[in-house]
Amino acid sequence: MSQRSPEQRSGSTFAWNEDWLAAIVGLTLIALVLVGAIPDWLVP
């Protein structure tokens, strides 16, 4: 059968992981600026 159940859709899982990755990268950059590891003018 060519029909997939909603749990097996690849498009929705990729978007969810992409959102989490962007949030983690953003929080990491904020933490590095607050700690002083990178200058604040470097992060837009």
Side-chain angles (χ1 to χ4, degrees), residues 4-21:
R4 290 184 172 184
S5 66
E7 295 83 22
Q8 294 179 350
R9 289 184 296 176
S10 60
S12 62
T13 336
F14 181 72
W16 177 257
N17 290 337
E18 194 174 66
D19 291 341
W20 275 110
L21 180 63

Side-chain angles (χ1 to χ4, degrees), residues 28-40:
T28 303
L29 286 174
I30 291 173
L32 288 173
V33 168
L34 290 175
V35 169
I38 57 175
D40 57 353

